[in-house]
C-alpha cells in the first residue's frame, strides 16, 4: 500500500475555496439587488450610492470605501479562482475525457459543473475589467454616471455577459456548496436536494430578470441623457 | 383486451476485445422482440443464444446482488439484470463501464479495481488489542440503530456504477470514488474499528480522497442500491476538515498498522 501524505493543506484548500466562494456568492446576491435600486428610480440608486460611500455615517462622501471594497472582492476573487483552477481539466486529454463523459452521461449536476467552469473562465476577464473600473473610478458611480458608462462607455455588452455568468456561477455554486458540506440536509437529504435545486433554478431566473431590467434601465437613462446632450448642443 | 404487438428493440452493443489481435472497437446491432417483464439480462442472453455466441458480458446473481452486470445503458451506468426494457426507448445502446480494465465487449474487470481500492483504504475492522481478535470472544452488543446505519452502507455491491458515473474519476484515476468513501464512512461509524479520524485522514485526506470529490453527484444518482453517497461524502468531508484544521496530523496517536492484518 502506498502511504498517502499527511498534509493538512488539502483540507485548508478545500475550506478556503468554499469560504471564498460563499462570500463572493453572497456579495453577488446583494450586489445585484443594490444595483436594482435603479428600478425604483434614479433617486433610490443615488441614495444607495451615498450609503456605500459612507455619507450617512460620516456626513460626507468617501468613494474610497468602494475602492477598499473592490480590493477585498478582488482578493477573494483571486484566491477563489486560484483554488478552483486545481479542479478544472488541466490538459486537453482531461478536458476531452470529461466532455465525453458529460455528453454520454447527460447528467444534470455533471453538466452544471461544466457551466461553472465556463462561466468561471469568462469571469476572469469580464469580472476583472468590471472590478478594476470600479476600484479605479469609485466616484463615477451613480444613476447618471453609471448609465453613461453603460451606454457611452460601451459597457453594456460586458455587463450583459457578466450578468449571466455571475448569476449562473453564484447560484450553481451555492447549490453545490450546500450539497458538498451537507448543509440543510434535514431528515430526507434527497428531498432537500430536490428542493434546493428548485430554489437554485428559481433564483437564477429571478436574478437574471432583475439584472436585465436594471441594465435596461441604465441603458435607457444613458440613451436619454445622450439624446438630451445632443439636443442641447444643437440649440 | 387491447392486444398490442410487441415492440422491436434495436440493441447497439459496443464490441471490442483487447485480447484479440487486430480487433477494433465497433458497434454491432441486434433486433430483438420485446417480451413482458424483459430485462437486459434476458436480452443479452437471447442475443448470445440466437445471434452471436461470442458476445462477452457478466452476470452471476441476475438479482442485483453480485454487482457483476454493471454497464453503460444509453450512456448511464446501471445494472443490466435489474433494468427492465420497458423503461427504455426502442433503441438501446450498451457499452462497457469506463474506468475499469476491459475484458471484452461488455465485460470489465471491476473486481481488480475494487480490490485495489479496498487494499488502499484498508477496508476491514482495525483493532489494537490482540485479544479483541480472538474469535472465541463474545462480541459486544451494538445499538440496533447504529448497526442498521452501518449495514445500510454495507449494502454496497461493488458494481462500479458510481465509479463509472463520476466525472472526477474520469479525470483522476487515483481518486477513490464514492464506493471507497462510502466504505470509510462505514468503518468510521463502526465502534469495533478503533481507527481515529486522523487515521482516516491519512487514507482519504487529499485530492485523491474526499477533497478530490467535486460534488457532481453522478455517483448518488446512479447507485443501484440507493446508498446515501451524497450525504456520507459530505459527512466525511466535515470530519476530515475538522481533523485537518485542528489536529497535528503528523504527531497524531495513529493506530499502528502491523503486518498481522
Ligand atoms: S456505492 Fe452503489 S454504485 Fe457504487 S459500487 Fe456500491 S452499489 Fe455500486
Ligand atoms: S459526488 Fe464526488 S464521488 Fe460522486 S460522482 Fe461526484 S465527484 Fe464523484
Ligand atoms: S447479475 Fe448480479 S447484480 Fe446483476
Amino acid at each position: 500500500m502506498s502511504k498517502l501524505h499527511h498534509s493538512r493543506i488539502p483540507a485548508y484548500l478545500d475550506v478556503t475555496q468554499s469560504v471564498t466562494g460563499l462570500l463572493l456568492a453572497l456579495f453577488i446576491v446583494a450586489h445585484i439587488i443594490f444595483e436594482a435600486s435603479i428600478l425604483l428610480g434614479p433617486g433610490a440608486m443615488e441614495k444607495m450610492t451615498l450609503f456605500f460611500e459612507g455619507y450617512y455615517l460620516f456626513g460626507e462622501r468617501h468613494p474610497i470605501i468602494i475602492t477598499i471594497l473592490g480590493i477585498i472582492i478582488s482578493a477573494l476573487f483571486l484566491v477563489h479562482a486560484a483554488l478552483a483552477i486545481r479542479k478544472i481539466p488541466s490538459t486537453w486529454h482531461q478536458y476531452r475525457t470529461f466532455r465525453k463523459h458529460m455528453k454520454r452521461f447527460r447528467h444534470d449536476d455533471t453538466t452544471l459543473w461544466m457551466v461553472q467552469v465556463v462561466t468561471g473562465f469568462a469571469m476572469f476577464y469580464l469580472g476583472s475589467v468590471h472590478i478594476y473600473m470600479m476600484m479605479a473610478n469609485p466616484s463615477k458611480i451613480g444613476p447618471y454616471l453609471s448609465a453613461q458608462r453603460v451606454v457611452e462607455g460601451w459597457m453594456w455588452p460586458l455587463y450583459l455577459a457578466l450578468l449571466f455568468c455571475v448569476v449562473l456561477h453564484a447560484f450553481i455554486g451555492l447549490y453545490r456548496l450546500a450539497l458538498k458540506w451537507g448543509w440543510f440536509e434535514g431528515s430526507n437529504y434527497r428531498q432537500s436536494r430536490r428542493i434546493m435545486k428548485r430554489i437554485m433554478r428559481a433564483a437564477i431566473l429571478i436574478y437574471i430578470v432583475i439584472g436585465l431590467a436594471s441594465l435596461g434601465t441604465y441603458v435607457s437613462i444613458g440613451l436619454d441623457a445622450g439624446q438630451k446632450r445632443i439636443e442641447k448642443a444643437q440649440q | 383486451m387491447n392486444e398490442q404487438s410487441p415492440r422491436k428493440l434495436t440493441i447497439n452493443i459496443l464490441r471490442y476485445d483487447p485480447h484479440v489481435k487486430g480487433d477494433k472497437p465497433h458497434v454491432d446491432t441486434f433486433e430483438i422482440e420485446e417480451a413482458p417483464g424483459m430485462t437486459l439480462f434476458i436480452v443479452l442472453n437471447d442475443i448470445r443464444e440466437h445471434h452471436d455466441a461470442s458476445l462477452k458480458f457478466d452476470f452471476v446473481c441476475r438479482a442485483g446482488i453480485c454487482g457483476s452486470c454493471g454497464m453503460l445503458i444509453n450512456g448511464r451506468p446501471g445494472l443490466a439484470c435489474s433494468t427492465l426494457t420497458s423503461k427504455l426507448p426502442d433503441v438501446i445502446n450498451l457499452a462497457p463501464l469506463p474506468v475499469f480494465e476491459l475484458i471484452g465487449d461488455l465485460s470489465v474487470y471491476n473486481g481488480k479495481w475494487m480490490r485495489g481500492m479496498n487494499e488502499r483504504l484498508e477496508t476491514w475492522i482495525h483493532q489494537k488489542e490482540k485479544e479483541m481478535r480472538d474469535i472465541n470472544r463474545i462480541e459486544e452488543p451494538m445499538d440496533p440503530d447504529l448497526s442498521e446505519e452501518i449495514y445500510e452502507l454495507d449494502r454496497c455491491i461493488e458494481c462500479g456504477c458510481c465509479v463509472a458515473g463520476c466525472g472526477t474519476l474520469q479525470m483522476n484515476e487515483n481518486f477513490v470514488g464514492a464506493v471507497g468513501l462510502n466504505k470509510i464512512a462505514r468503518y468510521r461509524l463502526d465502534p469495533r474499528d478503533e481507527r481515529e479520524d486522523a487515521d482516516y485522514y491519512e487514507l482519504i485526506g487529499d485530492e485523491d480522497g474526499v477533497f478530490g470529490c467535486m460534488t457532481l453527484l453522478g455517483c448518488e444518482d446512479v447507485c443501484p442500491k440507493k446508498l446515501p453517497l451524497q450525504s456520507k461524502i459530505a459527512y466525511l468531508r466535515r470530519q476530515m476538515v475538522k481533523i485537518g484544521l485542528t489536529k497535528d496530523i503528523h504527531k497524531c496517536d495513529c493506530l499502528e498498522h502491523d503486518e498481522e492484518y
Side-chain angles (χ1 to χ4, degrees), chain A residues 15-25 75-77 79-81 83:
Chain A
V15 171
T16 312
Q17 185 182 350
S18 291
V19 171
T20 50
L22 178 66
L23 292 175
L24 286 168
L76 288 174
F77 180 65
V79 172
H80 183 69
L83 291 176

Side-chain angles (χ1 to χ4, degrees), chain A residues 83-102 110 113-118 121, chain B residues 167-168 170-172 214 216:
Chain A
L83 291 176
I85 242 175
R86 294 173 305 145
K87 302 280 178 176
I88 62 179
S90 57
T91 60
W92 169 245
H93 174 73
Q94 277 188 341
Y95 173 76
R96 217 185 39 185
T97 315
F98 191 87
R99 271 212 62 108
K100 214 167 99 194
H101 167 70
M102 188 180 92
T110 303
W113 182 75
M114 206 37 151
V115 173
Q116 274 203 299
V117 172
V118 172
F121 249 116
Chain B
T168 304
Q170 312 275 325
M171 293 197 290
N172 173 13
M214 302 193 299
L216 308 172

Side-chain angles (χ1 to χ4, degrees), chain A residues 15 50 53 58 80 102 104 108 114 166 196:
Chain A
V15 171
L50 288 173
E53 289 176 350
F58 307 113
H80 183 69
M102 188 180 92
R104 181 177 60 206
D108 240 29
M114 206 37 151
V166 111
M196 283 194 274

Side-chain angles (χ1 to χ4, degrees), chain A residues 1 4 6-8 14 86-87 94 105 107 109 113 176 179-182 185 189-190 193, chain B residues 122 165 171 201-203 207 211 214 216-217 220-221 226-228 230-231 237-238 244 247-248:
Chain A
M1 192 199 111
L4 301 177
H6 323 170
S7 166
R8 39 169 82 214
D14 211 34
R86 294 173 305 145
K87 302 280 178 176
Q94 277 188 341
F105 195 13
H107 172 253
D109 289 52
W113 182 75
R176 294 196 35 239
L179 297 172
K180 180 170 172 176
W181 296 98
E185 259 183 13
Y189 76 96
R190 288 204 172 99
R193 176 173 166 209
Chain B
E122 305 181 11
M171 293 197 290
Y201 191 96
E202 269 200 51
L203 298 168
E207 300 278 318
F211 300 127
M214 302 193 299
L216 308 172
L217 300 179
E220 164 79 23
D221 295 339
K226 296 265 167 281
L227 294 188
Q230 169 204 330
S231 161
R237 192 189 299 272
R238 293 195 301 267
K247 202 160 181 172
D248 189 347

